Amino acid sequence: MTTPEKNGFPGKGLIKGLGITLKTMVSRAGTQQYPDVEPELPARSRGVIGLMESNCTVCMLCARECPDWCIYIDSHKETVEVPGAARARQRNVLDRFDIDFSLCMYCGICIEVCPFDALFWAPDFAYAEGDIRNLLHDRGRLGEHMAGVPAPPPHDPNGEPSKEESTAAKKGGAR
Amino acid sequence: MTMPVWLEIAIRVAGVFAAFLVLPLVVGQTEHKVMAHMQGRLGPMYAGRFHGWAQLIADGVKFVQKEDVTPAAADKHVFKLAPAIALVPYLVAIIVIPLGPGDLVAQPLDMGLFLVLAVVGVGIVAVLMAGWASANKYTLLGALRAAAQLLAYELPLVLAAASVAMAAGTLSLSGIVEAWRPWWLLWQLPALGVFFLAGLAEIRRPPFDAPIADSELVFGYLTEYTGLRFALFLLAEYVGIVVIAALTTVLFLGGWKGPFADADLGWLWTLLKVGAVSFVVIWVRVSFPRLRVDQLQRFCWLGLVPVALAQLVLTAAVKVAT
Amino acid sequence: MTVTDVLVCALGAVSLGAALRVVTSKHLVRAGLWLVVALGSLAGVYLVLTAELLAWVQVLIYVGAVVVLMLFAVMLTRAPIGPSDDLDRAKVPGVLIGGGAGLGLAAVLVDAYRWREVGLSDVEPGDAGAMGREVFTSWVLPFELLSVLLLAALIGAIVVSRPDVGQRSR
């Protein structure tokens, strides 16, 4: 109970406690009223994965690196006749790109390994479903998630210049 | 124009019931919001659209709809009677508490203070009935804790009230307010503290809620209650806050005496003071952890009782000297 | 019969009935609760007879403290829900002592007042002022003796409940 402290009077702690609660009462509450007010999420939030289909080359890196095998990719080869070329070129065409979010553990490895920037994090998180099978998002739905992808952060002015910039500067200096 | 007697009685009864039903709800709603904000939350926001003002009404509707469960092994009659017994003492107490000067009290009594202290003590019987009749070890433990606590804290409560009655020279609550002077705030300060703390313990509010102690005894003597009967016990708790706050106001804070217009605005001053004391009750609940059972008894017998006795000596000395 | 008569008789009947339930009930805790009813209606009788202070003292001390203490003790030792068959109530001595004491007291009271009627408006109401004057003038010696008795009981309780006090003398 009221034990006299080193430099204070008995009951000092009790009064301090009252002061803290009073101060908390008059300062703003931290509650976010979620369904009424959308939360302001940081740009790097890991909410959902978006697919930019035009960048995908069906290299399968993401599907192979995925720790819980939740990315399903099907594709076929298509021959492209380029006029003037020695022989026809072959191109991979994406048939199916599904991510099963009931398995996904949001590690982000697929996004890291993608060499062509076809996968992105988006902060949207509200895609709960009544049926677990509906958590399998097909490529159309993954493409829709691209709308929520925030713009890349501006370059840190104190940081090193990006590789592209420095090579461009080198080339320009050489010219 | 004078009112016929029956009309006057009807108005007074209606007034008591209105106070009995409205004030506890106001206190309960305030507790919801104040406690939430003291913990950095918002509290109820939906019921009634504007900042959840209708939350307790919604709670009431919910309680009415719930199943009224009586445990198979319980003593059914006693079990069902207990909530009513818990409410009656506070209802009786409200009758004699004056709201303003003159006739603004349901039933002025020569011995209002004594009556209030007597009936508030009866509340223990309801707790014992509830705890025993539930046929559950947790409820029985809670009831025994409550009985031990209430018997112990009754003593400083009565002693502190006796001090102010001695100072005023009357047992009538209106008489005490009449006799009250602002400097009594200083003179009766220890009694005020003792009365307030013992009152908190009487209504089993935190930090004196060892009989309920949800982390040890499930919910103490209320464990087996559901639905409307549980709501009645909750109502009794909040009426208890109102009664203790009103008593503290009337005995120690000058009741209807305010900075100006005592005669016209007396009821407002009383209500404001009751509100302020109720706020402190909630504030203390949020700020302090629960006292252990042994600390509780120690605090009463080694803290409050000696202070109350010393206050009695001081009151008598000043009374004799002047 | 006036309203007062009816109230006194009704409350007295409730008190008597409840008191009978106290000694006949086989439910241990319920007997204690019937005692609350008996003592409470007795307080009502006092109230009707304008002994206001006595009535509230009855509620405060007997209902609020003594019965609660009894219930507390019963619940601490054993408090079965439902009837107990092993209650050892000595019927003949109980009837003899209880009935004898009751009849004796009734006889004394009847003999003291006979059929004399006292109007309620003639007597001084038993409020705090009147009670205080009586206690501190004509009854001051019994009052002080009682407080000495209570003090002795208090000290006795402390000695009994503290084993270290007894051990020192051993």
Short mmCIF file of all heavy atoms in Angstrom, two decimals, chain B residues 262-319:
data_model
loop_
_atom_site.label_atom_id
_atom_site.label_comp_id
_atom_site.label_asym_id
_atom_site.label_seq_id
_atom_site.Cartn_x
_atom_site.Cartn_y
_atom_site.Cartn_z
N ASP B 262 -28.27 29.78 -3.69
CA ASP B 262 -28.52 28.49 -3.04
C ASP B 262 -30.00 28.12 -3.08
O ASP B 262 -30.35 26.97 -3.27
CB ASP B 262 -28.09 28.56 -1.57
CG ASP B 262 -26.59 28.62 -1.44
OD1 ASP B 262 -25.93 28.48 -2.49
OD2 ASP B 262 -26.10 28.80 -0.33
N ALA B 263 -30.85 29.13 -2.89
CA ALA B 263 -32.28 28.84 -2.75
C ALA B 263 -32.88 28.36 -4.06
O ALA B 263 -33.73 27.47 -4.07
CB ALA B 263 -33.01 30.08 -2.25
N ASP B 264 -32.44 28.95 -5.19
CA ASP B 264 -33.06 28.60 -6.46
C ASP B 264 -32.33 27.48 -7.17
O ASP B 264 -32.94 26.61 -7.79
CB ASP B 264 -33.08 29.84 -7.38
CG ASP B 264 -33.82 30.98 -6.73
OD1 ASP B 264 -34.82 30.69 -6.06
OD2 ASP B 264 -33.39 32.14 -6.88
N LEU B 265 -31.01 27.50 -7.09
CA LEU B 265 -30.22 26.54 -7.86
C LEU B 265 -29.66 25.41 -6.99
O LEU B 265 -28.78 24.68 -7.43
CB LEU B 265 -29.06 27.26 -8.57
CG LEU B 265 -29.48 28.16 -9.74
CD1 LEU B 265 -28.27 28.86 -10.31
CD2 LEU B 265 -30.17 27.34 -10.81
N GLY B 266 -30.19 25.29 -5.75
CA GLY B 266 -29.64 24.29 -4.84
C GLY B 266 -29.58 22.91 -5.44
O GLY B 266 -28.57 22.21 -5.33
N TRP B 267 -30.67 22.49 -6.13
CA TRP B 267 -30.70 21.15 -6.72
C TRP B 267 -29.57 20.95 -7.71
O TRP B 267 -28.98 19.88 -7.83
CB TRP B 267 -32.04 20.90 -7.39
CG TRP B 267 -32.37 21.90 -8.45
CD1 TRP B 267 -32.98 23.11 -8.28
CD2 TRP B 267 -32.08 21.80 -9.84
NE1 TRP B 267 -33.10 23.76 -9.46
CE2 TRP B 267 -32.55 22.99 -10.45
CE3 TRP B 267 -31.46 20.83 -10.63
CZ2 TRP B 267 -32.43 23.22 -11.81
CZ3 TRP B 267 -31.35 21.07 -11.98
CH2 TRP B 267 -31.82 22.26 -12.57
N LEU B 268 -29.24 22.07 -8.43
CA LEU B 268 -28.18 21.97 -9.43
C LEU B 268 -26.83 21.74 -8.75
O LEU B 268 -26.03 20.89 -9.17
CB LEU B 268 -28.15 23.24 -10.27
CG LEU B 268 -27.15 23.20 -11.42
CD1 LEU B 268 -27.55 22.14 -12.43
CD2 LEU B 268 -27.08 24.56 -12.10
N TRP B 269 -26.58 22.52 -7.66
CA TRP B 269 -25.31 22.35 -6.95
C TRP B 269 -25.19 20.92 -6.45
O TRP B 269 -24.15 20.27 -6.60
CB TRP B 269 -25.18 23.31 -5.79
CG TRP B 269 -25.23 24.76 -6.20
CD1 TRP B 269 -26.00 25.73 -5.65
CD2 TRP B 269 -24.48 25.39 -7.24
NE1 TRP B 269 -25.81 26.92 -6.29
CE2 TRP B 269 -24.87 26.76 -7.26
CE3 TRP B 269 -23.53 24.95 -8.15
CZ2 TRP B 269 -24.34 27.67 -8.16
CZ3 TRP B 269 -23.00 25.86 -9.04
CH2 TRP B 269 -23.40 27.19 -9.05
N THR B 270 -26.29 20.40 -5.86
CA THR B 270 -26.24 19.02 -5.36
C THR B 270 -25.90 18.05 -6.48
O THR B 270 -25.00 17.22 -6.34
CB THR B 270 -27.60 18.64 -4.74
OG1 THR B 270 -27.98 19.63 -3.82
CG2 THR B 270 -27.51 17.30 -4.05
N LEU B 271 -26.61 18.19 -7.61
CA LEU B 271 -26.37 17.24 -8.70
C LEU B 271 -24.95 17.36 -9.22
O LEU B 271 -24.30 16.35 -9.52
CB LEU B 271 -27.37 17.48 -9.83
CG LEU B 271 -28.78 16.96 -9.57
CD1 LEU B 271 -29.66 17.20 -10.78
CD2 LEU B 271 -28.75 15.48 -9.23
N LEU B 272 -24.44 18.62 -9.30
CA LEU B 272 -23.07 18.80 -9.78
C LEU B 272 -22.08 18.12 -8.86
O LEU B 272 -21.14 17.43 -9.30
CB LEU B 272 -22.75 20.30 -9.87
CG LEU B 272 -23.25 21.00 -11.14
CD1 LEU B 272 -22.88 22.47 -11.08
CD2 LEU B 272 -22.63 20.36 -12.36
N LYS B 273 -22.30 18.30 -7.54
CA LYS B 273 -21.36 17.69 -6.59
C LYS B 273 -21.45 16.17 -6.64
O LYS B 273 -20.42 15.47 -6.59
CB LYS B 273 -21.66 18.21 -5.18
CG LYS B 273 -21.23 19.65 -4.96
CD LYS B 273 -21.69 20.14 -3.62
CE LYS B 273 -21.43 21.63 -3.44
NZ LYS B 273 -22.00 22.12 -2.20
N VAL B 274 -22.69 15.65 -6.74
CA VAL B 274 -22.85 14.20 -6.85
C VAL B 274 -22.11 13.69 -8.09
O VAL B 274 -21.41 12.67 -8.04
CB VAL B 274 -24.34 13.81 -6.90
CG1 VAL B 274 -24.50 12.34 -7.23
CG2 VAL B 274 -25.00 14.10 -5.57
N GLY B 275 -22.25 14.45 -9.19
CA GLY B 275 -21.57 14.06 -10.41
C GLY B 275 -20.06 14.06 -10.23
O GLY B 275 -19.37 13.12 -10.66
N ALA B 276 -19.54 15.08 -9.56
CA ALA B 276 -18.09 15.18 -9.36
C ALA B 276 -17.60 14.01 -8.51
O ALA B 276 -16.58 13.38 -8.83
CB ALA B 276 -17.74 16.50 -8.69
N VAL B 277 -18.32 13.70 -7.43
CA VAL B 277 -17.87 12.59 -6.57
C VAL B 277 -17.96 11.27 -7.34
O VAL B 277 -17.07 10.42 -7.24
CB VAL B 277 -18.71 12.54 -5.27
CG1 VAL B 277 -18.27 11.36 -4.43
CG2 VAL B 277 -18.55 13.82 -4.49
N SER B 278 -19.04 11.09 -8.14
CA SER B 278 -19.16 9.88 -8.94
C SER B 278 -17.98 9.76 -9.90
O SER B 278 -17.44 8.67 -10.12
CB SER B 278 -20.46 9.87 -9.73
OG SER B 278 -21.55 10.05 -8.88
N PHE B 279 -17.58 10.91 -10.45
CA PHE B 279 -16.42 10.89 -11.35
C PHE B 279 -15.18 10.40 -10.62
O PHE B 279 -14.42 9.58 -11.15
CB PHE B 279 -16.18 12.30 -11.91
CG PHE B 279 -14.92 12.41 -12.72
CD1 PHE B 279 -14.88 11.93 -14.01
CD2 PHE B 279 -13.77 12.97 -12.17
CE1 PHE B 279 -13.72 12.00 -14.75
CE2 PHE B 279 -12.61 13.05 -12.90
CZ PHE B 279 -12.58 12.57 -14.20
N VAL B 280 -15.01 10.86 -9.39
CA VAL B 280 -13.84 10.41 -8.62
C VAL B 280 -13.92 8.90 -8.37
O VAL B 280 -12.91 8.19 -8.44
CB VAL B 280 -13.73 11.19 -7.30
CG1 VAL B 280 -12.57 10.66 -6.47
CG2 VAL B 280 -13.53 12.66 -7.57
N VAL B 281 -15.15 8.41 -8.12
CA VAL B 281 -15.31 6.96 -7.92
C VAL B 281 -14.81 6.20 -9.15
O VAL B 281 -14.06 5.22 -9.05
CB VAL B 281 -16.79 6.62 -7.64
CG1 VAL B 281 -16.99 5.12 -7.61
CG2 VAL B 281 -17.24 7.23 -6.33
N ILE B 282 -15.20 6.68 -10.33
CA ILE B 282 -14.78 6.03 -11.57
C ILE B 282 -13.27 6.18 -11.76
O ILE B 282 -12.57 5.23 -12.12
CB ILE B 282 -15.53 6.64 -12.76
CG1 ILE B 282 -17.04 6.41 -12.60
CG2 ILE B 282 -15.05 6.07 -14.06
CD1 ILE B 282 -17.87 7.27 -13.50
N TRP B 283 -12.79 7.37 -11.48
CA TRP B 283 -11.37 7.70 -11.65
C TRP B 283 -10.51 6.75 -10.81
O TRP B 283 -9.52 6.18 -11.27
CB TRP B 283 -11.18 9.14 -11.21
CG TRP B 283 -9.86 9.76 -11.52
CD1 TRP B 283 -8.88 9.26 -12.32
CD2 TRP B 283 -9.40 11.02 -11.03
NE1 TRP B 283 -7.83 10.12 -12.36
CE2 TRP B 283 -8.11 11.20 -11.58
CE3 TRP B 283 -9.93 11.98 -10.20
CZ2 TRP B 283 -7.37 12.34 -11.30
CZ3 TRP B 283 -9.18 13.11 -9.93
CH2 TRP B 283 -7.93 13.29 -10.48
N VAL B 284 -10.92 6.57 -9.55
CA VAL B 284 -10.18 5.69 -8.65
C VAL B 284 -10.21 4.26 -9.17
O VAL B 284 -9.22 3.55 -9.14
CB VAL B 284 -10.78 5.78 -7.23
CG1 VAL B 284 -10.28 4.65 -6.38
CG2 VAL B 284 -10.45 7.11 -6.59
N ARG B 285 -11.37 3.87 -9.73
CA ARG B 285 -11.47 2.51 -10.26
C ARG B 285 -10.46 2.29 -11.37
O ARG B 285 -9.82 1.24 -11.45
CB ARG B 285 -12.87 2.28 -10.81
CG ARG B 285 -12.90 0.99 -11.58
CD ARG B 285 -14.18 0.70 -12.27
NE ARG B 285 -14.02 -0.56 -12.97
CZ ARG B 285 -14.97 -1.20 -13.56
NH1 ARG B 285 -16.17 -0.74 -13.53
NH2 ARG B 285 -14.74 -2.33 -14.18
N VAL B 286 -10.32 3.29 -12.25
CA VAL B 286 -9.43 3.10 -13.39
C VAL B 286 -7.98 3.13 -12.95
O VAL B 286 -7.13 2.45 -13.52
CB VAL B 286 -9.70 4.19 -14.45
CG1 VAL B 286 -8.79 4.00 -15.65
CG2 VAL B 286 -11.14 4.16 -14.88
N SER B 287 -7.66 3.91 -11.90
CA SER B 287 -6.25 4.17 -11.60
C SER B 287 -5.60 3.11 -10.73
O SER B 287 -4.40 2.88 -10.85
CB SER B 287 -6.12 5.52 -10.89
OG SER B 287 -6.65 6.54 -11.68
N PHE B 288 -6.35 2.47 -9.83
CA PHE B 288 -5.69 1.65 -8.83
C PHE B 288 -6.00 0.17 -8.99
O PHE B 288 -7.12 -0.19 -9.34
CB PHE B 288 -6.10 2.10 -7.42
CG PHE B 288 -5.76 3.52 -7.15
CD1 PHE B 288 -6.60 4.33 -6.43
CD2 PHE B 288 -4.59 4.07 -7.64
CE1 PHE B 288 -6.30 5.64 -6.19
CE2 PHE B 288 -4.27 5.38 -7.42
CZ PHE B 288 -5.12 6.17 -6.68
N PRO B 289 -5.01 -0.69 -8.70
CA PRO B 289 -5.27 -2.12 -8.75
C PRO B 289 -6.04 -2.57 -7.51
O PRO B 289 -6.11 -1.85 -6.52
CB PRO B 289 -3.86 -2.72 -8.76
CG PRO B 289 -3.03 -1.73 -8.07
CD PRO B 289 -3.63 -0.38 -8.37
N ARG B 290 -6.59 -3.76 -7.61
CA ARG B 290 -7.41 -4.29 -6.53
C ARG B 290 -6.57 -4.61 -5.29
O ARG B 290 -5.44 -5.08 -5.40
CB ARG B 290 -8.10 -5.56 -7.01
CG ARG B 290 -8.92 -6.26 -5.98
CD ARG B 290 -9.45 -7.56 -6.55
NE ARG B 290 -10.06 -7.32 -7.84
CZ ARG B 290 -9.78 -8.03 -8.91
NH1 ARG B 290 -8.92 -9.01 -8.86
NH2 ARG B 290 -10.36 -7.78 -10.04
N LEU B 291 -7.12 -4.30 -4.11
CA LEU B 291 -6.44 -4.66 -2.87
C LEU B 291 -6.63 -6.14 -2.59
O LEU B 291 -7.71 -6.68 -2.83
CB LEU B 291 -7.00 -3.84 -1.70
CG LEU B 291 -6.23 -2.58 -1.33
CD1 LEU B 291 -6.37 -1.57 -2.43
CD2 LEU B 291 -6.72 -2.03 -0.02
N ARG B 292 -5.56 -6.77 -2.08
CA ARG B 292 -5.70 -8.16 -1.66
C ARG B 292 -6.58 -8.20 -0.41
O ARG B 292 -6.76 -7.18 0.26
CB ARG B 292 -4.32 -8.72 -1.34
CG ARG B 292 -3.96 -9.98 -2.03
CD ARG B 292 -2.49 -10.27 -1.87
NE ARG B 292 -2.02 -9.91 -0.56
CZ ARG B 292 -0.81 -9.41 -0.32
NH1 ARG B 292 0.02 -9.23 -1.30
NH2 ARG B 292 -0.44 -9.11 0.90
N VAL B 293 -7.11 -9.39 -0.08
CA VAL B 293 -8.06 -9.46 1.03
C VAL B 293 -7.40 -9.02 2.34
O VAL B 293 -7.99 -8.28 3.13
CB VAL B 293 -8.64 -10.87 1.15
CG1 VAL B 293 -9.58 -10.94 2.33
CG2 VAL B 293 -9.38 -11.24 -0.11
N ASP B 294 -6.16 -9.47 2.57
CA ASP B 294 -5.52 -9.11 3.84
C ASP B 294 -5.18 -7.62 3.87
O ASP B 294 -5.32 -6.95 4.89
CB ASP B 294 -4.27 -9.96 4.08
CG ASP B 294 -3.24 -9.74 3.01
OD1 ASP B 294 -3.65 -9.58 1.85
OD2 ASP B 294 -2.04 -9.73 3.31
N GLN B 295 -4.77 -7.07 2.71
CA GLN B 295 -4.49 -5.63 2.65
C GLN B 295 -5.75 -4.84 2.92
O GLN B 295 -5.71 -3.78 3.58
CB GLN B 295 -3.97 -5.25 1.26
CG GLN B 295 -2.62 -5.82 0.94
CD GLN B 295 -2.25 -5.58 -0.50
OE1 GLN B 295 -3.11 -5.47 -1.37
NE2 GLN B 295 -0.97 -5.51 -0.78
N LEU B 296 -6.85 -5.38 2.42
CA LEU B 296 -8.14 -4.72 2.58
C LEU B 296 -8.49 -4.58 4.05
O LEU B 296 -8.87 -3.51 4.52
CB LEU B 296 -9.17 -5.59 1.87
CG LEU B 296 -10.42 -4.96 1.37
CD1 LEU B 296 -10.33 -4.94 -0.14
CD2 LEU B 296 -11.59 -5.78 1.77
N GLN B 297 -8.35 -5.68 4.80
CA GLN B 297 -8.68 -5.63 6.22
C GLN B 297 -7.69 -4.76 6.98
O GLN B 297 -8.05 -3.98 7.85
CB GLN B 297 -8.69 -7.04 6.81
CG GLN B 297 -9.78 -7.93 6.26
CD GLN B 297 -11.15 -7.52 6.73
OE1 GLN B 297 -11.29 -6.81 7.71
NE2 GLN B 297 -12.18 -7.91 6.01
N ARG B 298 -6.41 -4.89 6.60
CA ARG B 298 -5.37 -4.09 7.27
C ARG B 298 -5.62 -2.61 7.07
O ARG B 298 -5.54 -1.82 8.01
CB ARG B 298 -4.01 -4.50 6.67
CG ARG B 298 -2.82 -3.72 7.15
CD ARG B 298 -1.56 -4.39 6.64
NE ARG B 298 -1.26 -5.57 7.43
CZ ARG B 298 -0.49 -5.54 8.52
NH1 ARG B 298 0.03 -4.42 8.92
NH2 ARG B 298 -0.26 -6.63 9.19
N PHE B 299 -5.97 -2.24 5.83
CA PHE B 299 -6.22 -0.83 5.51
C PHE B 299 -7.38 -0.30 6.36
O PHE B 299 -7.34 0.83 6.85
CB PHE B 299 -6.56 -0.71 4.03
CG PHE B 299 -6.85 0.70 3.59
CD1 PHE B 299 -5.91 1.69 3.75
CD2 PHE B 299 -8.07 1.01 3.03
CE1 PHE B 299 -6.18 2.97 3.35
CE2 PHE B 299 -8.34 2.30 2.63
CZ PHE B 299 -7.40 3.28 2.79
N CYS B 300 -8.40 -1.16 6.54
CA CYS B 300 -9.55 -0.71 7.31
C CYS B 300 -9.20 -0.54 8.78
O CYS B 300 -9.38 0.54 9.35
CB CYS B 300 -10.68 -1.71 7.16
SG CYS B 300 -12.10 -1.31 8.16
N TRP B 301 -8.63 -1.60 9.38
CA TRP B 301 -8.47 -1.58 10.83
C TRP B 301 -7.28 -0.73 11.26
O TRP B 301 -7.30 -0.13 12.33
CB TRP B 301 -8.30 -2.99 11.38
CG TRP B 301 -9.55 -3.79 11.22
CD1 TRP B 301 -9.76 -4.81 10.34
CD2 TRP B 301 -10.79 -3.62 11.92
NE1 TRP B 301 -11.04 -5.27 10.44
CE2 TRP B 301 -11.69 -4.57 11.41
CE3 TRP B 301 -11.21 -2.75 12.91
CZ2 TRP B 301 -12.99 -4.68 11.87
CZ3 TRP B 301 -12.51 -2.86 13.37
CH2 TRP B 301 -13.38 -3.81 12.85
N LEU B 302 -6.21 -0.70 10.45
CA LEU B 302 -5.03 0.07 10.85
C LEU B 302 -4.97 1.44 10.19
O LEU B 302 -4.17 2.29 10.58
CB LEU B 302 -3.75 -0.72 10.50
CG LEU B 302 -3.61 -2.05 11.22
CD1 LEU B 302 -2.28 -2.69 10.87
CD2 LEU B 302 -3.74 -1.87 12.70
N GLY B 303 -5.80 1.66 9.16
CA GLY B 303 -5.78 2.96 8.50
C GLY B 303 -7.01 3.77 8.82
O GLY B 303 -6.94 4.82 9.47
N LEU B 304 -8.14 3.28 8.36
CA LEU B 304 -9.35 4.10 8.42
C LEU B 304 -9.88 4.27 9.84
O LEU B 304 -10.25 5.37 10.24
CB LEU B 304 -10.43 3.49 7.53
CG LEU B 304 -10.14 3.52 6.04
CD1 LEU B 304 -11.32 2.99 5.24
CD2 LEU B 304 -9.80 4.91 5.58
N VAL B 305 -9.92 3.16 10.61
CA VAL B 305 -10.54 3.24 11.93
C VAL B 305 -9.79 4.22 12.85
O VAL B 305 -10.41 5.09 13.46
CB VAL B 305 -10.68 1.84 12.55
CG1 VAL B 305 -11.12 1.94 14.00
CG2 VAL B 305 -11.69 1.03 11.77
N PRO B 306 -8.46 4.14 12.95
CA PRO B 306 -7.76 5.11 13.80
C PRO B 306 -7.98 6.55 13.33
O PRO B 306 -8.19 7.45 14.17
CB PRO B 306 -6.29 4.71 13.68
CG PRO B 306 -6.31 3.30 13.27
CD PRO B 306 -7.53 3.11 12.45
N VAL B 307 -7.96 6.77 12.01
CA VAL B 307 -8.18 8.14 11.51
C VAL B 307 -9.56 8.62 11.90
O VAL B 307 -9.75 9.76 12.35
CB VAL B 307 -7.99 8.18 9.98
CG1 VAL B 307 -8.40 9.54 9.44
CG2 VAL B 307 -6.56 7.89 9.61
N ALA B 308 -10.55 7.73 11.77
CA ALA B 308 -11.92 8.13 12.11
C ALA B 308 -12.04 8.45 13.59
O ALA B 308 -12.69 9.42 13.98
CB ALA B 308 -12.89 7.02 11.72
N LEU B 309 -11.37 7.64 14.42
CA LEU B 309 -11.42 7.90 15.87
C LEU B 309 -10.74 9.22 16.19
O LEU B 309 -11.26 10.03 16.98
CB LEU B 309 -10.76 6.75 16.62
CG LEU B 309 -11.58 5.44 16.63
CD1 LEU B 309 -10.79 4.32 17.27
CD2 LEU B 309 -12.89 5.64 17.38
N ALA B 310 -9.59 9.47 15.57
CA ALA B 310 -8.89 10.74 15.80
C ALA B 310 -9.76 11.91 15.36
O ALA B 310 -9.83 12.95 16.03
CB ALA B 310 -7.56 10.75 15.04
N GLN B 311 -10.45 11.74 14.24
CA GLN B 311 -11.34 12.80 13.76
C GLN B 311 -12.46 13.06 14.77
O GLN B 311 -12.82 14.21 15.01
CB GLN B 311 -11.95 12.38 12.42
CG GLN B 311 -13.07 13.26 11.95
CD GLN B 311 -12.58 14.61 11.47
OE1 GLN B 311 -11.84 14.70 10.51
NE2 GLN B 311 -12.98 15.67 12.15
N LEU B 312 -12.97 11.99 15.39
CA LEU B 312 -14.01 12.17 16.40
C LEU B 312 -13.49 13.03 17.55
O LEU B 312 -14.18 13.94 18.02
CB LEU B 312 -14.47 10.82 16.93
CG LEU B 312 -15.63 10.13 16.20
CD1 LEU B 312 -15.98 8.83 16.87
CD2 LEU B 312 -16.84 11.05 16.16
N VAL B 313 -12.27 12.73 17.99
CA VAL B 313 -11.67 13.50 19.08
C VAL B 313 -11.52 14.96 18.66
O VAL B 313 -11.88 15.89 19.40
CB VAL B 313 -10.31 12.90 19.48
CG1 VAL B 313 -9.61 13.79 20.48
CG2 VAL B 313 -10.49 11.50 20.01
N LEU B 314 -11.02 15.16 17.44
CA LEU B 314 -10.82 16.53 16.93
C LEU B 314 -12.16 17.27 16.87
O LEU B 314 -12.27 18.43 17.31
CB LEU B 314 -10.19 16.46 15.54
CG LEU B 314 -10.03 17.80 14.82
CD1 LEU B 314 -8.95 18.62 15.48
CD2 LEU B 314 -9.71 17.59 13.36
N THR B 315 -13.18 16.59 16.31
CA THR B 315 -14.49 17.23 16.21
C THR B 315 -15.00 17.63 17.59
O THR B 315 -15.47 18.76 17.79
CB THR B 315 -15.49 16.26 15.55
OG1 THR B 315 -14.93 15.78 14.34
CG2 THR B 315 -16.81 16.93 15.28
N ALA B 316 -14.88 16.69 18.54
CA ALA B 316 -15.37 16.98 19.88
C ALA B 316 -14.60 18.15 20.48
O ALA B 316 -15.20 19.06 21.08
CB ALA B 316 -15.22 15.74 20.76
N ALA B 317 -13.28 18.18 20.27
CA ALA B 317 -12.46 19.25 20.85
C ALA B 317 -12.89 20.61 20.29
O ALA B 317 -13.11 21.57 21.03
CB ALA B 317 -10.99 18.99 20.55
N VAL B 318 -13.02 20.68 18.96
CA VAL B 318 -13.41 21.95 18.34
C VAL B 318 -14.81 22.34 18.79
O VAL B 318 -15.09 23.50 19.08
CB VAL B 318 -13.33 21.84 16.81
CG1 VAL B 318 -13.88 23.10 16.16
CG2 VAL B 318 -11.90 21.61 16.39
N LYS B 319 -15.69 21.34 18.86
CA LYS B 319 -17.07 21.59 19.25
C LYS B 319 -17.14 22.15 20.67
O LYS B 319 -17.88 23.09 20.94
CB LYS B 319 -17.84 20.28 19.15
CG LYS B 319 -19.33 20.41 19.19
CD LYS B 319 -19.87 20.97 17.90
CE LYS B 319 -21.38 21.09 18.01
NZ LYS B 319 -21.94 21.92 16.96
#
